Amino acid sequence: MAHRRHHQNEIPSTSRWMVSYADFLTLLFAFFVVLYAISSVHNEKFKELSRALSGIFDQPTRSAKPIQLDNIFETLQLVPAPQPNDEEINPIIEQSDQIMATLWQHLETQIKAEKIFLRGSEDWVEVAVNADLVFPPGSALMTDDGDAMLSLLAETFKTFPNPINVEAFTDNAPVAENGPWQSNWELSAQRAAGVARILMYEGIAPQRLAAVGYAEYQPVATNDDEEGRQINRRILFVIDRLGNSRARVGEITKHYVTTGH
């Protein structure tokens, strides 16, 4: 009788998943090794960078010194500002010379009598008047002679359109204790404003005028004697030859009006 073999049912192995899991861990480990290799920093370069940064931050503050911008802007292509040609600048020179000639023509008598002093530069023409000819000492109320002087100046200033700064100066004598002024600031400012107002009444466009009070802080002579103090008490009419001062103010005003800021 033939021997019959009994085949038992084979049970599948339950450990095969470990092979796949081990392969996965191997690949994952290799992946992180590659990432580490890519992101590793060269030690020498890192030390060099660290020393450079330490040198920058360890330096004392230098905020009081001007910032040097030469190296920052050395790569920029600078566009030169357009220069005026002769046709544009000649009328300006002629106009400036005409202002000085007009002032001499209208004020020659007062200049020779040393009631008015006239001088000029490339940018300004200055007409100086001793304040004692226009105001009583320590007062901002104009005298009759002051009114006549300002009328004469206004007629002269009408012959050209240039801006005019009215600047008032005092000596260092304190104001009256019970007077209307707390200091020479208020006195000089009120005098300048009063002169500008009279010029406006005499027909000078107010847009051309500005009033500035300097008190006693811009002396041109000593305040140790009466002669020096008299020189320091003065009214100065500074005429802008090129009209640049009001042009800038006009541009700012126009910007604020149009933008609403």
Side-chain angles (χ1 to χ4, degrees):
M1 176 182 229
H3 179 71
R4 179 178 293 179
R5 294 182 180 180
H6 298 279
H7 296 280
Q8 299 179 351
N9 294 331
E10 296 182 358
I11 301 174
S13 176
T14 59
S15 60
R16 292 184 60 84
W17 64 271
M18 297 183 62
V19 177
S20 299
Y21 182 72
D23 292 339
F24 172 76
L25 289 180
T26 302
L27 293 174
L28 189 61
F29 176 77
F31 174 75
F32 281 107
V33 169
V34 173
L35 288 181
Y36 176 79
I38 294 175
S39 62
S40 62
V41 179
H42 195 283
N43 289 335
E44 291 300 322
K45 291 184 178 180
F46 178 81
K47 291 179 180 179
E48 182 180 353
L49 176 61
S50 178
R51 287 193 297 268
L53 293 176
S54 298
I56 293 174
F57 290 109
D58 290 341
Q59 291 181 3
T61 179
R62 294 181 293 179
S63 59
K65 297 182 180 180
I67 299 174
Q68 302 298 325
L69 300 179
D70 295 344
N71 295 333
I72 297 176
F73 296 107
E74 62 183 359
T75 59
L76 296 181
Q77 297 296 326
L78 300 181
V79 179
Q83 299 297 321
N85 53 40
D86 293 340
E87 295 181 357
E88 295 173 334
I89 201 169
N90 286 337
I92 296 176
I93 296 176
E94 294 174 0
Q95 182 191 33
S96 301
D97 294 340
Q98 185 62 40
I99 291 174
M100 186 69 75
T102 300
L103 292 171
W104 271 102
Q105 180 181 356
H106 286 75
L107 306 174
E108 181 179 1
T109 301
Q110 288 74 18
I111 292 173
K112 289 182 178 180
E114 296 187 349
K115 294 182 179 181
I116 291 178
F117 301 90
L118 181 65
R119 69 175 185 174
S121 67
E122 294 181 359
D123 300 320
W124 306 91
V125 174
E126 297 180 358
V127 180
V129 179
N130 191 288
D132 294 346
L133 299 177
V134 184
F135 299 100
S139 174
L141 297 176
M142 205 166 298
T143 63
D144 292 340
D145 291 340
D147 283 333
M149 177 72 71
L150 292 182
S151 295
L152 175 62
L153 290 172
E155 290 301 317
T156 306
F157 296 158
K158 289 178 184 178
T159 60
F160 49 82
N162 300 59
I164 303 171
N165 284 2
V166 181
E167 303 178 352
F169 305 80
T170 68
D171 57 24
N172 66 344
V175 296
E177 184 176 352
N178 297 322
W181 321 113
Q182 295 183 359
S183 70
N184 283 321
W185 285 115
E186 287 82 2
L187 175 58
S188 62
Q190 185 61 46
R191 283 182 170 181
V195 170
R197 184 176 63 252
I198 294 300
L199 292 179
M200 182 185 67
Y201 290 157
E202 292 288 341
I204 302 299
Q207 292 82 359
R208 296 177 56 192
L209 300 172
V212 183
Y214 287 96
E216 70 266 29
Y217 300 108
Q218 299 291 332
V220 293
T222 179
N223 277 311
D224 295 335
D225 54 56
E226 179 54 33
E227 181 180 0
R229 288 191 291 271
Q230 185 180 28
I231 294 175
N232 288 330
R233 298 190 297 266
R234 63 197 189 277
I235 306 296
L236 198 63
F237 302 88
V238 183
I239 303 167
D240 186 351
R241 284 182 181 267
L242 306 181
N244 294 330
S245 60
R246 294 302 182 279
R248 175 180 174 274
V249 175
E251 290 176 0
I252 295 175
T253 303
K254 182 179 180 181
H255 169 76
Y256 274 78
V257 170
T258 55
T259 61
H261 301 125

